[in-house]
Amino acid sequence: MPYPPEVFLYNSGNGLIAEEISYDTEHMKRQHDENYIKLNREQKEVYEVVVKSVNSNKGEQFFVYRSGGCGKTFIWQTLLCRLRSECKIVFPVASSGIAAVLLDGGRTAHSRFHIPIIVDQCSEAGIKHGTDLAELLQNISLIIWDEAPMQHRHSIESVDKFLRDIMAPIDPSRSSRPFGGLTVVFGGDYRQTLPIIQKASRGETVGSTLNQSKLWDFCKSSPYVRT
């Protein structure tokens, strides 16, 4: 039988962290270099501002608004390769399973963050302090959340509240910052919003998404990002 990767042999603590840093960094770097030269001007601007936020620990939030087929997923893949080539941990999540499988290592937001099925303004992600997953979240550098308009704003706010709580032991000031001071990139198209409230009208559906949340005010702008 083949031996497991060395990262698993020498990191007997948190297996989730070991898994997330076990990517072949050389392969990730080659893939990143191939993707980067294919980015157009607007895509490069999104890429640069996100990487700058991660490297400077600014913890900014962005919303990339473009219709399907305009290259949002290609930006996500380039960012994933860049950060994973540097042994940084990235959480690529999506609001639907179909969108999640297009991301390398992607999961649905409900699965990754343990978001309750039925949410309201008091809901919070169901991850307990002291668990391996909580420790993993304390070590991530970026969250990529695709198809965010398909998620009820209470679901996104529940993740925000939990991350503020889980990051407080590291730095108390992070409890007052959106998403605990983590850089988060949302993406999606409001013309493709699914009904997230049963029997709701179009206006009620759009009024329950991220753009109606208090978190919307923190999203930064660029020519390719929401203004």
Side-chain angles (χ1 to χ4, degrees), residues 48-144:
E48 296 295 345
V49 296
V50 173
V51 170
K52 182 179 179 181
S53 176
V54 171
N55 290 338
S56 60
N57 294 317
K58 287 185 176 180
E60 296 175 303
Q61 287 74 51
F62 307 91
F63 186 90
V64 179
Y65 174 76
R66 277 296 185 271
S67 58
C70 289
K72 296 189 298 296
T73 303
F74 191 72
I75 301 175
W76 309 153
Q77 297 291 14
T78 307
L79 287 168
L80 288 171
C81 291
R82 165 66 185 270
L83 297 177
R84 285 171 175 169
S85 71
E86 300 172 353
C87 289
K88 293 179 179 177
I89 299 174
V90 188
F91 265 21
V93 300
S95 299
S96 66
I98 295 175
V101 299
L102 298 177
L103 301 171
D104 186 12
R107 298 266 296 274
T108 63
H110 276 81
S111 172
R112 177 57 87 178
F113 296 119
H114 298 189
I115 301 173
I117 299 299
I118 301 176
V119 293
D120 56 30
Q121 64 271 20
C122 299
S123 298
E124 187 172 318
I127 302 174
K128 296 181 180 179
H129 282 266
T131 61
D132 284 355
L133 182 53
E135 183 182 0
L136 174 61
L137 285 164
Q138 291 174 334
N139 287 275
I140 62 177
S141 300
L142 173 68
I143 295 174
I144 298 174

XYZ file of all heavy atoms in Angstrom, residues 48-144:
741
model
N -6.476 41.062 -8.056
C -5.466 41.830 -7.322
C -6.002 42.379 -6.001
O -5.313 42.335 -4.982
C -4.937 42.979 -8.197
C -4.198 42.531 -9.450
C -2.906 41.776 -9.150
O -2.420 41.842 -8.006
O -2.381 41.127 -10.074
N -7.229 42.913 -6.004
C -7.749 43.499 -4.771
C -8.021 42.415 -3.725
O -7.840 42.637 -2.519
C -9.019 44.337 -5.028
C -8.709 45.531 -5.899
C -10.143 43.500 -5.624
N -8.429 41.232 -4.169
C -8.683 40.145 -3.229
C -7.372 39.644 -2.630
O -7.254 39.466 -1.403
C -9.438 38.982 -3.907
C -9.540 37.786 -2.962
C -10.832 39.437 -4.327
N -6.375 39.413 -3.472
C -5.071 38.948 -2.983
C -4.453 39.973 -2.038
O -3.881 39.620 -0.997
C -4.128 38.659 -4.164
C -2.700 38.407 -3.672
C -4.619 37.460 -4.956
N -4.596 41.248 -2.366
C -4.057 42.303 -1.500
C -4.737 42.292 -0.144
O -4.084 42.443 0.902
C -4.243 43.667 -2.168
C -3.673 44.817 -1.361
C -3.855 46.151 -2.090
C -3.305 47.306 -1.271
N -3.501 48.609 -1.976
N -6.054 42.084 -0.130
C -6.786 42.035 1.136
C -6.348 40.848 1.985
O -6.182 40.967 3.200
C -8.298 41.949 0.863
O -9.024 41.813 2.070
N -6.130 39.694 1.337
C -5.696 38.496 2.067
C -4.296 38.691 2.630
O -4.044 38.427 3.814
C -5.728 37.260 1.148
C -5.080 36.058 1.839
C -7.161 36.922 0.757
N -3.373 39.177 1.813
C -1.970 39.306 2.244
C -1.780 40.376 3.311
O -0.853 40.283 4.124
C -1.081 39.608 1.037
C -0.945 38.416 0.103
O -1.151 37.272 0.505
N -0.602 38.673 -1.149
N -2.642 41.381 3.309
C -2.522 42.461 4.294
C -3.428 42.255 5.499
O -3.458 43.102 6.400
C -2.843 43.808 3.637
O -4.170 43.818 3.126
N -4.182 41.137 5.494
C -5.104 40.831 6.612
C -6.118 41.947 6.844
O -6.486 42.238 7.981
C -4.323 40.567 7.905
C -3.477 39.310 7.824
O -3.923 38.283 7.320
N -2.246 39.392 8.313
N -6.573 42.574 5.755
C -7.555 43.648 5.894
C -8.951 43.119 6.202
O -9.763 43.816 6.796
C -7.597 44.485 4.612
C -6.389 45.379 4.407
C -6.567 46.256 3.179
C -5.415 47.221 3.014
N -5.591 48.088 1.814
N -9.243 41.892 5.753
C -10.562 41.323 6.022
C -11.684 42.061 5.318
O -12.730 42.331 5.914
N -11.503 42.357 4.042
C -12.523 43.085 3.288
C -13.532 42.118 2.669
O -13.269 40.923 2.540
C -11.867 43.922 2.198
C -10.957 45.007 2.749
C -10.225 45.754 1.653
O -9.511 45.096 0.867
O -10.358 46.986 1.577
N -14.682 42.676 2.271
C -15.718 41.883 1.609
C -15.983 42.464 0.217
O -16.000 43.686 0.040
C -17.026 41.885 2.413
C -16.979 41.053 3.684
C -16.167 41.709 4.783
O -16.387 42.874 5.094
N -15.243 40.975 5.371
N -16.179 41.566 -0.746
C -16.395 41.968 -2.130
C -17.609 41.227 -2.691
O -17.923 40.119 -2.249
C -15.169 41.644 -2.994
C -13.886 42.200 -2.460
C -13.091 41.450 -1.606
C -13.458 43.472 -2.809
C -11.904 41.956 -1.100
C -12.279 43.990 -2.312
C -11.493 43.226 -1.455
N -18.259 41.854 -3.663
C -19.333 41.176 -4.385
C -19.072 41.316 -5.872
O -19.056 42.420 -6.413
C -20.700 41.754 -4.041
C -21.835 40.974 -4.650
C -22.416 39.923 -3.967
C -22.285 41.277 -5.925
C -23.442 39.191 -4.534
C -23.312 40.544 -6.503
C -23.890 39.500 -5.809
N -18.840 40.190 -6.543
C -18.594 40.175 -7.980
C -19.923 39.920 -8.675
O -20.486 38.837 -8.568
C -17.567 39.090 -8.357
C -17.339 39.085 -9.862
C -16.256 39.312 -7.617
N -20.416 40.935 -9.377
C -21.723 40.834 -10.027
C -21.546 40.766 -11.533
O -21.115 41.731 -12.165
C -22.587 42.043 -9.665
C -23.895 42.103 -10.406
C -24.944 41.272 -10.045
C -24.068 42.985 -11.471
C -26.151 41.313 -10.730
C -25.269 43.037 -12.161
C -26.303 42.205 -11.786
O -27.479 42.251 -12.476
N -21.799 39.603 -12.094
C -21.797 39.424 -13.541
C -22.717 38.256 -13.878
O -22.941 37.363 -13.063
C -20.377 39.134 -14.072
C -19.509 40.363 -14.315
C -20.083 41.254 -15.403
N -19.206 42.372 -15.716
C -19.216 43.544 -15.122
N -20.050 43.740 -14.117
N -18.415 44.514 -15.502
N -23.250 38.259 -15.084
C -24.132 37.174 -15.507
C -23.331 35.902 -15.758
O -22.094 35.926 -15.842
C -24.889 37.578 -16.773
O -23.980 37.907 -17.809
N -24.041 34.785 -15.881
C -23.390 33.507 -16.105
C -22.579 33.488 -17.390
O -22.990 34.048 -18.406
N -21.403 32.865 -17.336
C -20.556 32.764 -18.506
C -19.565 33.894 -18.678
O -18.830 33.928 -19.680
N -19.518 34.824 -17.720
C -18.600 35.967 -17.831
C -17.260 35.737 -17.140
O -16.432 36.640 -17.090
C -19.254 37.233 -17.273
S -20.587 37.880 -18.312
N -17.047 34.557 -16.579
C -15.719 34.232 -16.043
C -15.550 34.352 -14.552
O -14.417 34.407 -14.066
N -16.643 34.381 -13.774
C -16.494 34.459 -12.316
C -15.797 33.211 -11.773
O -14.884 33.306 -10.947
C -17.864 34.628 -11.647
C -18.589 35.918 -11.998
C -19.830 36.113 -11.136
C -20.868 35.021 -11.326
N -21.416 35.001 -12.699
N -16.234 32.033 -12.223
C -15.645 30.788 -11.730
C -14.163 30.710 -12.077
O -13.362 30.183 -11.293
C -16.381 29.572 -12.310
O -17.773 29.645 -11.975
C -15.811 28.267 -11.771
N -13.773 31.265 -13.221
C -12.360 31.263 -13.610
C -11.535 32.117 -12.644
O -10.393 31.765 -12.310
C -12.207 31.775 -15.030
C -10.839 31.557 -15.610
C -10.420 30.285 -15.964
C -9.969 32.620 -15.785
C -9.153 30.072 -16.495
C -8.702 32.420 -16.315
C -8.299 31.136 -16.671
N -12.111 33.208 -12.161
C -11.430 34.026 -11.153
C -11.266 33.224 -9.875
O -10.201 33.227 -9.241
C -12.205 35.328 -10.862
C -12.360 36.169 -12.122
C -11.495 36.138 -9.779
C -13.221 37.403 -11.930
N -12.341 32.521 -9.473
C -12.265 31.718 -8.242
C -11.152 30.680 -8.345
O -10.364 30.505 -7.411
C -13.584 31.003 -7.971
C -14.859 31.779 -7.982
C -16.109 31.291 -8.271
C -15.076 33.170 -7.677
N -17.053 32.270 -8.186
C -16.461 33.441 -7.807
C -14.228 34.201 -7.313
C -16.998 34.696 -7.591
C -14.773 35.468 -7.095
C -16.138 35.701 -7.231
N -11.074 29.990 -9.478
C -10.066 28.943 -9.643
C -8.654 29.531 -9.597
O -7.731 28.925 -9.035
C -10.281 28.193 -10.963
C -11.599 27.452 -11.074
C -11.689 26.237 -10.142
O -10.898 26.071 -9.219
N -12.678 25.391 -10.384
N -8.476 30.705 -10.174
C -7.154 31.341 -10.161
C -6.769 31.741 -8.742
O -5.622 31.551 -8.314
C -7.139 32.573 -11.075
O -7.608 32.201 -12.385
C -5.748 33.148 -11.201
N -7.720 32.270 -7.990
C -7.455 32.626 -6.588
C -7.141 31.388 -5.757
O -6.229 31.406 -4.918
C -8.664 33.357 -6.003
C -8.887 34.797 -6.472
C -10.268 35.294 -6.034
C -7.795 35.722 -5.918
N -7.891 30.308 -5.981
C -7.643 29.072 -5.248
C -6.232 28.563 -5.492
O -5.519 28.190 -4.551
C -8.667 28.004 -5.663
C -10.104 28.183 -5.172
C -11.022 27.180 -5.856
C -10.170 28.010 -3.661
N -5.817 28.559 -6.748
C -4.471 28.072 -7.079
C -3.392 28.957 -6.463
O -2.388 28.453 -5.956
C -4.303 28.003 -8.598
S -5.288 26.718 -9.398
N -3.599 30.267 -6.503
C -2.600 31.196 -5.958
C -2.408 30.965 -4.456
O -1.277 30.794 -3.975
C -3.037 32.636 -6.225
C -2.314 33.710 -5.419
C -0.837 33.828 -5.769
N -0.166 34.784 -4.901
C -0.051 36.100 -5.182
N -0.574 36.582 -6.293
N 0.589 36.906 -4.360
N -3.479 30.945 -3.716
C -3.367 30.849 -2.260
C -2.960 29.449 -1.812
O -2.193 29.293 -0.862
C -4.684 31.265 -1.611
C -5.087 32.729 -1.883
C -6.438 33.034 -1.253
C -4.024 33.693 -1.363
N -3.470 28.421 -2.486
C -3.074 27.063 -2.114
C -1.629 26.778 -2.469
O -0.988 25.962 -1.802
C -4.013 26.061 -2.785
C -5.382 25.996 -2.126
C -6.365 25.164 -2.911
N -7.630 25.026 -2.197
C -8.744 24.540 -2.725
N -8.742 24.128 -3.996
N -9.849 24.446 -2.012
N -1.090 27.433 -3.482
C 0.330 27.274 -3.791
C 1.199 27.866 -2.691
O 2.388 27.545 -2.590
C 0.660 27.934 -5.135
O 0.615 29.346 -5.045
N 0.618 28.737 -1.868
C 1.314 29.341 -0.736
C 0.934 28.672 0.586
O 1.204 29.209 1.656
C 0.989 30.835 -0.681
C 1.405 31.596 -1.933
C 0.910 33.028 -1.948
O 0.123 33.395 -1.034
O 1.312 33.784 -2.849
N 0.295 27.502 0.484
C -0.128 26.719 1.668
C -1.112 27.488 2.542
O -1.147 27.300 3.773
C 1.073 26.275 2.497
S 2.057 24.990 1.696
N -1.916 28.347 1.920
C -2.975 29.041 2.643
C -4.284 28.286 2.445
O -4.472 27.600 1.444
C -3.104 30.482 2.165
C -1.883 31.330 2.517
C -2.025 32.749 2.012
C -0.794 33.575 2.401
N -0.868 34.959 1.866
N -5.170 28.418 3.411
C -6.424 27.672 3.395
C -7.536 28.557 2.852
O -7.733 29.684 3.311
C -6.779 27.172 4.805
C -5.675 26.235 5.324
C -8.124 26.456 4.811
C -5.875 25.800 6.766
N -8.253 28.031 1.872
C -9.359 28.756 1.246
C -10.614 27.896 1.344
O -10.552 26.680 1.146
C -9.060 29.073 -0.232
C -10.137 29.990 -0.803
C -7.689 29.696 -0.380
N -11.734 28.517 1.634
C -13.026 27.832 1.673
C -13.838 28.235 0.450
O -14.418 29.321 0.421
C -13.789 28.221 2.941
C -13.622 27.274 4.083
C -12.543 26.409 4.148
C -14.546 27.255 5.116
C -12.378 25.543 5.210
C -14.388 26.390 6.185
C -13.306 25.537 6.239
N -13.900 27.400 -0.591
C -14.793 27.692 -1.709
C -16.162 27.046 -1.456
O -16.275 25.827 -1.361
C -14.084 27.035 -2.898
C -13.312 25.895 -2.308
C -13.042 26.228 -0.860
N -17.190 27.866 -1.312
C -18.536 27.348 -1.071
C -19.486 27.961 -2.080
O -19.181 28.973 -2.723
C -19.030 27.659 0.357
C -18.106 27.042 1.401
C -19.164 29.159 0.589
N -20.648 27.348 -2.222
C -21.675 27.852 -3.132
C -23.038 27.582 -2.527
O -23.186 26.735 -1.638
C -21.553 27.200 -4.510
N -24.019 28.305 -3.007
C -25.368 28.153 -2.482
C -26.103 26.967 -3.079
O -27.148 26.575 -2.588
C -26.174 29.439 -2.726
O -25.563 30.534 -2.070
N -25.554 26.391 -4.151
C -26.170 25.220 -4.768
C -25.105 24.163 -5.020
O -23.921 24.473 -5.193
C -26.849 25.597 -6.095
O -25.889 25.994 -7.054
N -25.542 22.910 -5.048
C -24.604 21.820 -5.262
C -23.968 21.848 -6.633
O -22.796 21.512 -6.794
N -24.735 22.268 -7.649
C -24.203 22.328 -9.010
C -23.056 23.327 -9.092
O -22.015 23.053 -9.704
C -25.315 22.693 -10.013
C -26.370 21.583 -10.063
C -24.736 22.948 -11.393
C -27.559 21.898 -10.922
N -23.222 24.496 -8.479
C -22.152 25.502 -8.496
C -20.961 25.039 -7.668
O -19.812 25.339 -8.000
C -22.682 26.830 -7.969
N -21.214 24.285 -6.595
C -20.129 23.850 -5.714
C -19.177 22.889 -6.411
O -17.966 22.936 -6.193
C -20.706 23.200 -4.450
N -19.715 21.994 -7.263
C -18.861 20.999 -7.915
C -17.943 21.633 -8.959
O -16.968 21.002 -9.393
C -19.703 19.876 -8.569
C -20.511 19.136 -7.542
C -20.598 20.432 -9.671
N -18.215 22.878 -9.358
C -17.354 23.565 -10.321
C -16.123 24.155 -9.659
O -15.203 24.607 -10.348
C -18.134 24.682 -11.024
C -19.349 24.237 -11.853
C -20.058 25.450 -12.434
C -18.933 23.277 -12.957
N -16.094 24.162 -8.319
C -14.964 24.702 -7.577
C -14.122 23.559 -7.033
O -14.658 22.588 -6.489
C -15.464 25.577 -6.420
C -16.338 26.770 -6.804
C -16.936 27.413 -5.563
C -15.528 27.794 -7.580
N -12.817 23.662 -7.162
C -11.916 22.628 -6.668
C -11.999 22.565 -5.137
O -11.630 23.509 -4.451
C -10.487 22.946 -7.102
C -9.517 21.827 -6.752
O -9.982 20.731 -6.385
O -8.296 22.044 -6.851
N -12.517 21.442 -4.626
C -12.704 21.323 -3.184
C -13.934 22.045 -2.680
O -14.071 22.282 -1.479
N -14.851 22.398 -3.585
C -16.030 23.165 -3.203
C -17.054 22.345 -2.439
O -17.176 21.136 -2.620
N -17.787 23.024 -1.574
C -18.878 22.432 -0.803
C -20.041 23.418 -0.801
O -19.862 24.614 -1.043
C -18.428 22.181 0.651
C -17.272 21.215 0.804
C -17.744 19.806 1.042
N -18.474 19.695 2.299
C -17.895 19.487 3.501
N -16.566 19.388 3.598
N -18.628 19.364 4.580
N -21.222 22.924 -0.510
C -22.339 23.855 -0.330
C -22.143 24.605 0.979
O -21.526 24.089 1.920
C -23.686 23.124 -0.307
O -23.719 22.232 0.812
C -23.916 22.347 -1.600
N -22.659 25.815 1.038
C -22.497 26.631 2.239
C -23.153 25.969 3.444
O -22.619 26.010 4.557
C -23.096 28.020 2.003
N -24.316 25.336 3.240
C -24.993 24.670 4.350
C -24.159 23.524 4.909
O -24.097 23.317 6.129
C -26.361 24.140 3.891
C -27.443 25.169 3.927
N -27.608 26.099 2.925
C -28.412 25.430 4.853
C -28.636 26.887 3.222
N -29.141 26.505 4.381
N -23.494 22.788 4.023
C -22.674 21.673 4.464
C -21.419 22.151 5.182
O -21.059 21.631 6.246
C -22.287 20.805 3.261
O -21.335 19.819 3.616
N -20.747 23.134 4.633
C -19.478 23.588 5.190
C -19.643 24.315 6.514
O -18.882 24.106 7.466
C -18.783 24.493 4.180
C -17.471 25.098 4.654
C -16.490 24.025 5.069
N -15.702 23.538 3.949
C -14.752 22.631 4.066
N -14.478 22.109 5.251
N -14.081 22.214 3.003
N -20.661 25.180 6.607
C -20.820 26.008 7.801
C -21.901 25.500 8.755
O -22.171 26.150 9.763
C -21.144 27.449 7.395
C -20.043 28.122 6.622
C -20.263 28.568 5.329
C -18.798 28.307 7.183
C -19.257 29.189 4.609
C -17.778 28.928 6.477
C -18.008 29.371 5.191
N -22.529 24.370 8.431
C -23.588 23.807 9.274
C -24.706 24.824 9.513
O -25.158 25.026 10.645
C -23.017 23.331 10.616
C -22.010 22.230 10.490
N -21.515 21.534 11.581
C -21.391 21.697 9.406
C -20.648 20.626 11.174
N -20.551 20.715 9.849
N -25.152 25.453 8.433
C -26.230 26.435 8.524
C -27.543 25.698 8.746
O -27.824 24.706 8.070
C -26.311 27.271 7.234
C -24.990 27.999 6.994
C -27.465 28.272 7.299
C -24.921 28.707 5.657
N -28.382 26.151 9.677
C -29.684 25.492 9.880
C -30.542 25.551 8.620
O -30.435 26.480 7.816
C -30.313 26.312 11.019
C -29.166 27.006 11.690
C -28.152 27.253 10.624
N -31.392 24.558 8.450
C -32.283 24.534 7.285
C -33.290 25.679 7.358
O -33.550 26.377 6.378
C -33.017 23.186 7.188
C -32.003 22.045 7.026
C -33.995 23.186 6.020
C -31.147 22.138 5.790
N -33.872 25.858 8.520
C -34.815 26.958 8.746
C -34.076 28.055 9.499
O -33.583 27.837 10.602
C -36.044 26.486 9.544
C -36.763 25.358 8.786
C -36.993 27.648 9.810
C -37.937 24.764 9.543
N -33.985 29.235 8.893
C -33.203 30.324 9.487
C -34.082 31.538 9.746
O -35.096 31.757 9.088
C -32.029 30.726 8.573
C -31.001 29.616 8.475
C -32.518 31.125 7.182
N -33.667 32.328 10.725
C -34.283 33.622 10.993
C -33.187 34.561 11.466
O -32.003 34.232 11.416
C -35.414 33.505 12.026
C -34.963 32.865 13.330
O -33.766 33.013 13.696
O -35.786 32.209 13.996
N -33.567 35.745 11.945
C -32.572 36.738 12.318
C -31.743 36.330 13.535
O -30.702 36.931 13.824
C -33.246 38.091 12.596
C -34.194 38.099 13.778
C -35.609 37.715 13.395
O -35.815 37.087 12.345
N -36.567 38.117 14.213
N -32.165 35.302 14.263
C -31.429 34.848 15.448
C -30.580 33.605 15.179
O -29.890 33.121 16.084
C -32.402 34.549 16.591
S -33.367 35.978 17.126
N -30.632 33.073 13.981
C -29.922 31.832 13.662
C -28.416 32.047 13.660
O -27.915 33.140 13.385
C -30.360 31.303 12.300
O -31.729 30.997 12.291
N -27.690 30.963 13.982
C -26.234 30.994 13.968
C -25.726 29.653 13.472
O -26.340 28.614 13.720
C -25.687 31.293 15.363
C -24.183 31.500 15.404
C -23.697 31.986 16.761
O -24.370 32.851 17.340
O -22.649 31.496 17.236
N -24.617 29.664 12.742
C -24.043 28.433 12.228
C -23.773 27.459 13.374
O -23.334 27.851 14.452
C -22.747 28.726 11.469
N -24.038 26.177 13.130
C -23.985 25.187 14.203
C -22.647 24.503 14.362
O -22.568 23.268 14.361
N -21.573 25.267 14.481
C -20.233 24.714 14.701
C -19.811 25.025 16.123
O -19.880 26.174 16.563
C -19.225 25.294 13.689
C -19.691 25.005 12.259
C -17.829 24.715 13.924
C -18.839 25.671 11.199
N -19.369 24.028 16.846
C -19.036 24.198 18.263
C -17.585 24.638 18.436
O -16.696 24.234 17.688
C -19.277 22.894 19.015
C -20.732 22.446 19.028
C -20.897 21.157 19.820
C -22.359 20.703 19.833
N -22.539 19.438 20.583
N -17.356 25.441 19.470
C -16.002 25.841 19.834
C -15.189 24.611 20.237
O -15.708 23.658 20.814
C -16.040 26.814 21.011
C -16.401 28.205 20.631
N -15.468 29.181 20.356
C -17.614 28.802 20.479
C -16.071 30.301 20.063
N -17.378 30.104 20.120
N -13.895 24.659 19.919
C -13.011 23.590 20.326
C -12.968 22.391 19.407
O -12.177 21.471 19.617
N -13.811 22.367 18.373
C -13.817 21.245 17.434
C -12.749 21.474 16.363
O -12.218 22.579 16.199
C -15.189 21.096 16.765
O -15.496 22.303 16.029
C -16.273 20.874 17.815
N -12.440 20.394 15.624
C -11.458 20.512 14.552
C -11.916 21.508 13.487
O -11.100 22.253 12.931
C -11.224 19.142 13.908
C -10.364 18.235 14.762
O -9.874 18.702 15.813
O -10.192 17.059 14.402
N -13.217 21.521 13.191
C -13.728 22.438 12.178
C -13.604 23.882 12.639
O -13.276 24.772 11.852
C -15.184 22.104 11.850
C -15.856 22.949 10.763
C -15.023 22.946 9.481
C -17.265 22.452 10.483
N -13.856 24.137 13.927
C -13.708 25.494 14.457
C -12.255 25.948 14.363
O -11.968 27.095 13.995
C -14.185 25.540 15.907
N -11.322 25.040 14.676
C -9.903 25.376 14.564
C -9.516 25.632 13.113
O -8.715 26.530 12.816
C -9.054 24.244 15.142
C -7.557 24.550 15.139
C -6.721 23.398 15.667
O -7.300 22.360 16.045
O -5.480 23.539 15.674
N -10.080 24.847 12.207
C -9.816 25.054 10.781
C -10.275 26.440 10.349
O -9.558 27.155 9.632
C -10.522 23.971 9.962
C -10.483 24.117 8.437
C -9.045 24.082 7.919
C -11.321 23.030 7.775
N -11.464 26.845 10.782
C -11.990 28.155 10.418
C -11.110 29.283 10.952
O -11.022 30.348 10.337
C -13.414 28.301 10.951
C -14.495 27.535 10.182
C -15.773 27.429 10.999
C -14.784 28.210 8.853
N -10.468 29.061 12.086
C -9.595 30.082 12.652
C -8.305 30.246 11.848
O -7.562 31.201 12.071
C -9.256 29.740 14.104
C -10.439 29.850 15.045
C -10.121 29.363 16.449
O -9.239 28.529 16.650
N -10.837 29.890 17.434
N -8.051 29.332 10.917
C -6.807 29.362 10.149
C -7.016 29.634 8.662
O -6.052 29.589 7.901
C -6.067 28.031 10.300
C -5.431 27.861 11.664
O -4.315 28.318 11.903
N -6.143 27.215 12.577
N -8.248 29.915 8.234
C -8.479 30.153 6.817
C -8.102 31.586 6.447
O -8.089 32.486 7.297
C -9.937 29.855 6.399
C -10.918 30.778 7.140
C -10.291 28.415 6.648
C -12.353 30.566 6.705
N -7.778 31.763 5.162
C -7.367 33.071 4.661
C -8.437 33.741 3.808
O -8.460 34.961 3.691
C -6.090 32.932 3.826
O -5.027 32.405 4.599
N -9.312 32.933 3.196
C -10.298 33.497 2.273
C -11.511 32.585 2.182
O -11.378 31.359 2.208
C -9.673 33.657 0.876
C -10.592 34.069 -0.278
C -11.089 35.500 -0.079
C -9.880 33.933 -1.615
N -12.678 33.201 2.075
C -13.922 32.482 1.782
C -14.438 32.972 0.433
O -14.578 34.183 0.216
C -14.998 32.724 2.858
C -14.553 32.149 4.203
C -16.327 32.097 2.440
C -15.495 32.469 5.350
N -14.670 32.045 -0.474
C -15.288 32.353 -1.762
C -16.701 31.781 -1.734
O -16.874 30.574 -1.580
C -14.489 31.745 -2.934
C -13.081 32.343 -2.984
C -15.215 31.969 -4.252
C -12.174 31.690 -4.014
